[in-house]
């Protein structure tokens, strides 16, 4: 690529041929259309507010209309902003592991859970987060697909759009098994690990959670809630400390 370096691999998220680049380009080009639509919605809201104020005998109907129009415009802007921000990880503008790690610590830290980031078993598996607490042990990875990718289960099989998700599910369950075997062997505590994927972009079913082929995919904000609600073991403080110390010692940082 002109102006690039032959020694540094280009990130396709920032090149002119990537879906992410085109998404941002079309978003910017659509700004004027969105503003026109927002003005129209605000005008309808203002008329509705004025009519409601007259209907119920509220003082200063014109002010009520303006207020409702402003609320409609504000809500419309917020929905647009939220939909664009929801693609930030997919577009490479935010780091999914940072977002999920912060959410896990905030929700689970005071309940006796330990969260270790970026751990790996040499030549076997790596994960973004290892969560150890009173309810058991989980591994959590972060993934992001294009906004129009439907994540679904048909006949017990996982799909990402029209593609099978079996490879992804097998990778995560294999990583969970490898981590569980290592921790069980080194601590003498029988460990069962459940794999989770925090989905930062993509279309999950209503409710934001899907389980298929031994893997649970969910919105990042739901990960801590899922962990609290789905216990796989009953661990005391000493066992949690032993598992956390062993993981910190035996697993590589990535």
């Amino acid at each position: 690529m002109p102006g690039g370096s032959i020694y540094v691999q280009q990130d396709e998220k920032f090149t002119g041929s990537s879906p992410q680049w085109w998404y941002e380009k079309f978003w910017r080009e659509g700004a004027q259309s969105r503003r026109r639509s927002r003005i129209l919605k605000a005008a309808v809201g203002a008329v509705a507010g004025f009519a409601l104020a007259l209907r119920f005998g509220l003082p200063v109907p014109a002010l009520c209309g303006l207020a409702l129009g402003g609320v409609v415009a504000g809500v419309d802007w917020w929905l647009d902003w939220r939909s664009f921000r929801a693609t930030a990880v997919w577009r490479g503008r935010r780091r999914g592991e940072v977002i999920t790690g912060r959410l896990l610590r905030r929700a689970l830290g005071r309940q006796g859970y330990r969260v270790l980031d970026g751990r790996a078993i040499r030549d076997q598996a790596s994960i973004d987060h290892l969560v150890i607490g009173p309810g058991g042990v989980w591994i959590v990875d972060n993934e992001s697909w294009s906004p129009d990718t439907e994540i679904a289960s048909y006949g017990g099989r996982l799909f990402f759009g029209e593609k099978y998700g079996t490879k992804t599910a097998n990778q995560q369950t294999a990583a969970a098994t490898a981590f569980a075997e290592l921790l069980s062997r080194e601590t003498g505590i029988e460990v069962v690990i459940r794999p989770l994927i925090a989905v930062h972009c993509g279309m999950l079913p209503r409710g934001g959670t899907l389980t298929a082929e031994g893997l649970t995919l969910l919105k990042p904000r739901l990960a801590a809630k899922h962990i609290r609600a789905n216990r796989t073991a009953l661990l005391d403080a000493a066992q949690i400390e032993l598992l956390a110390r062993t993981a910190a010692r035996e697993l590589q940082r990535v």
Side-chain angles (χ1 to χ4, degrees):
M1 176 178 292
S5 170
I6 64 173
Y7 302 106
V8 179
Q9 184 176 2
Q10 294 290 326
D11 188 338
E12 68 169 13
K13 290 185 177 66
F14 304 105
T15 65
S17 61
S18 72
Q20 291 87 347
W21 187 89
W22 284 108
Y23 182 88
E24 291 194 3
K25 181 177 186 294
F26 291 142
W27 177 268
R28 289 193 296 269
E29 291 176 350
Q32 186 174 354
S33 175
R34 290 194 302 275
R35 281 195 294 269
R36 286 197 298 263
S37 175
R38 187 170 300 126
I39 291 171
L40 178 60
K41 293 174 184 177
V44 172
V47 171
F50 182 80
L52 288 171
L54 291 177
R55 171 67 177 80
F56 293 102
L58 300 178
V60 196
L63 184 59
C64 293
L66 289 174
L68 185 56
V71 170
V72 170
V75 170
D76 185 68
W77 174 87
W78 181 77
L79 290 174
D80 275 343
W81 174 83
R82 188 180 68 167
S83 68
F84 184 67
R85 185 174 174 81
T87 67
V89 174
W90 175 67
R91 292 182 289 111
R93 304 304 183 183
R94 301 184 71 191
R95 295 177 57 187
E97 63 273 21
V98 174
I99 297 171
T100 303
R102 184 183 302 119
L103 290 171
L104 290 172
R105 288 184 175 83
R106 184 181 301 165
L108 299 174
R110 295 182 180 179
Q111 300 183 31
Y113 285 84
R114 303 282 294 275
V115 181
L116 284 74
D117 297 326
R119 299 291 165 167
I121 302 175
R122 184 185 297 275
D123 299 327
Q124 285 190 317
S126 63
I127 50 95
D128 291 334
H129 314 284
L130 177 65
V131 181
I132 305 170
V137 185
W138 288 262
I139 59 172
V140 184
D141 262 349
N142 296 274
E143 294 292 345
S144 192
W145 289 271
S146 61
D148 59 348
T149 299
E150 181 182 3
I151 303 169
S153 173
Y154 301 103
R157 297 199 66 176
L158 178 63
F159 285 84
F160 302 125
E162 298 180 354
K163 298 180 180 179
Y164 289 117
T166 300
K167 181 179 179 181
T168 298
N170 288 343
Q171 289 174 341
Q172 296 302 314
T173 53
T177 299
F179 275 72
E181 289 176 350
L182 185 148
L183 291 176
S184 298
R185 182 176 64 250
E186 296 297 328
T187 64
I189 302 171
E190 189 64 29
V191 176
V192 176
I193 298 181
R194 297 286 183 256
L196 307 176
I197 287 184
V199 179
H200 294 268
C201 190
M203 299 170 59
L204 281 166
R206 183 183 298 274
T209 301
L210 171 70
T211 299
E213 299 191 53
L215 175 65
T216 297
L217 302 97
L218 36 62
K219 291 296 184 182
R221 59 183 172 79
L222 298 178
K225 181 179 179 180
H226 180 88
I227 288 171
R228 290 195 302 264
N230 294 272
R231 291 176 173 265
T232 62
L234 292 175
L235 302 176
D236 58 32
Q239 290 174 316
I240 295 170
E241 182 65 21
L242 176 59
L243 287 168
R245 286 180 177 271
T246 302
R249 183 182 69 246
E250 297 295 333
L251 299 174
Q252 293 180 308
R253 293 187 66 90
V254 293

